[in-house]
Amino acid sequence: MTEHILSYITFFPLAGVVLLLLTPRGRDEAVRKVSFTASLITFALSLYPLLRFDRGSFRMQFTESVPWIPAWGVHYSVGVDGISLLMVALTTLLSMIAILSSWTAVRERVKEYMIALLVLETAMLGVFVSTDLFLFYIFWELELIPMFFLIGIWGGPRRHYAAIKFFLYTLAGSVLMMVAILALYVHSGAHPTFDLATLTSAAGGFSPKFQFWVFWAFFMGFAFKVPMFPFHTWLPDAHVEAPTAGSVILAGVLLKMGIYGFLRLAIPLCPRIVLRPETVTIMMALAAVAIIYGALVAMMQKDMKKLVAYSSVSHMGYVMLGIFAYNLQGVSGGILQMFNHGVVTGALFLIVGMLYERRHTRMIADFGGIAKVMPLYAALFLIFTLASIGMPGTNGFIGEFLILIGAFASHYRIAAVVGAFGIILGAGYMLWLYQRVIFNPMVHKSNQGLADLSLREVVTLAPLLILVFWIGFYPAPFLNLLNASVTHLIAPLSAYSVAMLP
C-alpha cells in the first residue's frame, strides 16, 4: 500500500466519478452519498502518509516513478515532503467539507456538480504530489476546467463573466509557466528531463541570465494564481459568483497552488535570482501593498462574500511576506498560514453561504440582530472571525506571529511594520462586519424567523473549528512536519545570500 498510496489518494475521487456515472439520473440523494463517501475515503487515505511520514527527513517520501512518455523523458513521478503533504491533507479535508456543504445548497444538475468537484479534487492533489514538471503542468491545467464549470453553471447572476475572467487570467499565467518549464527542459543537458529533483540539483549551474527569464516567467504564472497585487482582479468576481463550495475550494486550495509553485519551482530552480536585492524588494513591496490594499478595499465592501474575498488578497500578502523573508520562521510561518487561511477563510465562506441559503442575500445591510435567533451561528462566526484577525489561542495568531518574526529578522523590516499595521486593519473590517451582522438592531422582519444551524451544518464546520484551536494551542505537530523540508529549501539560498543581500 505504501508504494502506491499517493496514486490511490490522487485518483480515488475518479473512482467516485465512475460510480456517479453509473448512478441513474434523478437519484440526487444517492449521488450526494456516493460523492461524500468517495471524498471521505480519500481524506482517510491521506491520513496514512501523515501518520507514517518521517518528519526528520527532507527527502520526498512515498515516491513512485514509472516511464510515461520515454521518448520525451516524461515520467509519472509522485512524492511528498512536509510542505506538499500538508497541502494534500488540506485538499482532501476541504473537498470533503465542500461536498457536505452542498447537500441542500445545490438542487440542479447535482450529478454533474458532484462530478466536477471530484475531478477538481484529483487535479489539485495531482499538483501537490507531482515531481515531474510535465505531470505537474497537466494537473495544473486540468484544474481550470471543473472550476470553470462550477462558476459558470452553478454560480450567481454574473457567473458567465466571472468564469471566463477566471479562466483567461489563470490560463495566461499558465502559458508563461509552460514556457519556463520548456526552457528548463531544453536547458537540462544532453538528456533533457522534466524531473524536478534533477533540475533542482542542476539549478546552481544555470546562468544568471537564464534564471532571470525563467523566474519572471514563473512569477507571472504563479502571481495570477496567488493572486498577488495587481494580478488579483479576477478573484473577487470568481468568489462572489461561485457557489459556496466553489468559494471554499478557491480560497482554501487553489490560491495555495500559486504559492506552492513559488516554493516548489521558482525559488529552488532560480536561486541566484530570487536572492537579488531588487527581486526581494519587489516581492516584499508587492506583499506589503497587498496586505494594506486588500484590507482597505475589504473595509469598503457591502457584500459579505466580497469582503471575505478581498481579505484573502490581504492574507496572501502575509504569506508572501513570510516566504520571501528566506528564514525558517518566515517560510514556516508562511506555509502554516497557507494552511490556516484555507481553514479559516473556508469556514467564513461556509458561514456566509449558510446565511445566504436562508435569506438569499449577502448584503450586510440586510442583516442585524442575528445573535437573538441564531446564537450557535453567532458563536461559531465569532470564533472564525477571531481566528481570521489572528487572536492568540487561534491558528491565525501562530502563522502571522511567525511571519512577522521572520520579516523582522530579514533585511526588510519596513515590510514587517506594514504587516503589523495590516493586522489592525484586518481586525477593524472583520469585527465591524461581525458587529453589523450579529449585533446591530434587527430592523428586517425576515430575520426574525431564521433557524439556527442544523446538525449537518455544525458537523460541516466542526473539523475546521478543531483545527483553529489545535494549531492555536499546540502547533508543534504541524511545524515539525515542515521543519526539515523548509530547512532544506532555504539552505542552498544561504550559499548565495551573504554576497547578494544588502
Side-chain angles (χ1 to χ4, degrees):
M1 180 173 178
T2 301
E3 292 180 357
H4 306 294
I5 183 62
L6 296 182
S7 295
Y8 293 150
I9 295 170
T10 304
F11 295 106
F12 195 84
L14 296 186
V17 171
V18 173
L19 288 176
L20 290 180
L21 292 174
L22 297 175
T23 305
R25 188 168 294 279
R27 297 186 61 183
D28 292 346
E29 195 65 13
V31 166
R32 295 184 182 101
K33 289 178 180 175
V34 168
S35 306
F36 178 70
T37 303
S39 65
L40 178 64
I41 294 174
T42 306
F43 173 67
L45 287 171
S46 70
L47 297 179
Y48 180 82
L50 269 177
L51 296 173
R52 299 288 300 274
F53 189 77
D54 180 2
R55 286 166 167 71
S57 174
F58 63 83
R59 300 184 184 282
M60 287 286 175
Q61 299 179 38
F62 308 101
T63 56
E64 183 182 352
S65 182
V66 294
W68 181 14
I69 312 175
W72 298 354
V74 177
H75 288 68
Y76 170 78
S77 298
V78 295
V80 287
D81 63 358
I83 300 169
S84 43
L85 186 55
L86 195 64
M87 293 299 106
V88 167
L90 178 66
T91 303
T92 57
L93 174 65
L94 288 183
S95 296
M96 180 180 65
I97 289 174
I99 288 175
L100 193 58
S101 72
S102 306
W103 211 271
T104 55
V106 175
R107 298 184 181 279
E108 295 181 357
R109 299 182 179 182
V110 177
K111 186 173 178 177
E112 291 84 350
Y113 175 86
M114 293 299 178
I115 288 174
L117 278 179
L118 291 174
V119 172
L120 181 59
E121 183 176 9
T122 286
M124 294 185 297
L125 289 169
V127 168
F128 293 129
V129 301
S130 295
T131 55
D132 181 283
L133 294 191
F134 187 88
L135 187 66
F136 177 91
Y137 188 75
I138 294 295
F139 280 119
W140 183 282
E141 292 296 278
L142 177 62
E143 156 270 322
L144 288 179
I145 300 169
M147 182 50 78
F148 173 79
F149 286 124
L150 282 171
I151 299 173
I153 297 176
W154 293 276
R158 298 175 68 241
R159 57 187 179 275
H160 296 149
Y161 167 78
I164 291 172
K165 191 174 182 180
F166 159 78
F167 195 91
L168 290 178
Y169 270 63
T170 48
L171 182 64
S174 300
V175 169
L176 290 171
M177 183 179 74
M178 181 182 68
V179 172
I181 291 174
L182 290 176
L184 285 166
Y185 175 74
V186 173
H187 208 73
S188 59
H191 302 285
T193 180
F194 289 104
D195 182 65
L196 181 58
T198 304
L199 291 170
T200 303
S201 299
F206 295 155
S207 69
K209 184 178 180 181
F210 177 75
Q211 291 189 30
F212 175 87
W213 290 110
V214 169
F215 174 79
W216 288 109
F218 274 139
F219 170 84
M220 293 303 294
F222 302 139
F224 277 108
K225 203 73 166 185
V226 173
M228 295 178 70
F229 177 88
F231 307 101
H232 65 283
T233 57
W234 62 270
L235 181 70
D237 292 311
H239 268 312
V240 169
E241 299 304 324
T244 297
S247 296
V248 171
I249 295 295
L250 196 58
V253 183
L254 292 191
L255 305 189
K256 313 304 180 297
M257 286 168 51
I259 298 167
Y260 182 79
F262 275 109
L263 289 166
R264 187 60 73 215
L265 304 185
I267 292 176
L269 292 174
C270 310
R272 294 180 185 274
I273 298 303
V274 296
L275 275 172
R276 279 187 176 177
E278 55 267 32
T279 306
V280 183
T281 301
I282 290 171
M283 301 306 288
M284 287 291 196
L286 290 176
V289 170
I291 290 171
I292 301 301
Y293 170 82
L296 290 176
V297 179
M299 201 172 288
M300 303 300 294
Q301 298 307 310
K302 299 177 181 178
D303 183 321
M304 285 191 285
K305 205 172 182 184
K306 210 164 187 176
L307 187 153
V308 178
Y310 274 108
S311 77
S312 292
V313 176
S314 183
H315 287 147
M316 289 301 99
Y318 282 105
V319 175
M320 297 302 292
L321 190 68
I323 287 172
F324 281 90
Y326 295 140
N327 50 46
L328 182 62
Q329 296 93 334
V331 177
S332 295
I335 297 169
L336 184 62
Q337 194 64 359
M338 284 168 60
F339 186 85
N340 291 338
H341 179 262
V343 170
V344 175
T345 305
L348 288 173
F349 276 121
L350 288 172
I351 289 279
V352 173
M354 289 168 183
L355 209 50
Y356 181 79
E357 207 173 331
R358 287 163 170 77
R359 284 286 318 275
H360 301 289
T361 175
R362 296 185 303 262
M363 293 296 113
I364 298 171
D366 290 337
F367 298 99
I370 299 298
K372 295 179 181 177
V373 292
M374 302 178 69
L376 182 56
Y377 177 91
L380 293 179
F381 192 176
L382 178 62
I383 291 170
F384 290 119
T385 297
L386 295 178
S388 179
I389 65 178
M391 183 64 67
T394 66
N395 59 343
F397 172 75
I398 302 298
E400 288 183 353
F401 189 71
L402 285 173
I403 288 170
L404 292 181
I405 287 178
F408 269 111
S410 74
H411 296 263
Y412 297 87
R413 294 180 178 171
I414 185 65
V417 173
V418 173
F421 181 67
I423 292 176
I424 300 172
L425 293 178
Y429 67 74
M430 285 305 298
L431 292 177
W432 192 28
L433 166 70
Y434 188 80
Q435 179 251 320
R436 285 179 289 172
V437 173
I438 300 298
F439 290 133
N440 268 2
M442 185 179 287
V443 295
H444 299 283
K445 291 184 178 179
S446 48
N447 290 330
Q448 293 175 357
L450 290 177
D452 208 347
L453 296 181
S454 66
L455 179 60
R456 180 185 56 78
E457 290 171 327
V458 173
V459 169
T460 302
L461 291 170
L464 305 177
L465 187 67
I466 292 170
L467 284 170
V468 164
F469 290 118
W470 183 0
I471 300 174
F473 284 102
Y474 187 52
F478 297 86
L479 293 174
N480 290 341
L481 184 67
L482 296 173
N483 277 343
S485 301
V486 172
T487 302
H488 178 66
L489 175 72
I490 62 178
L493 301 178
S494 63
Y496 304 98
S497 61
V498 174
M500 301 184 72
L501 284 175

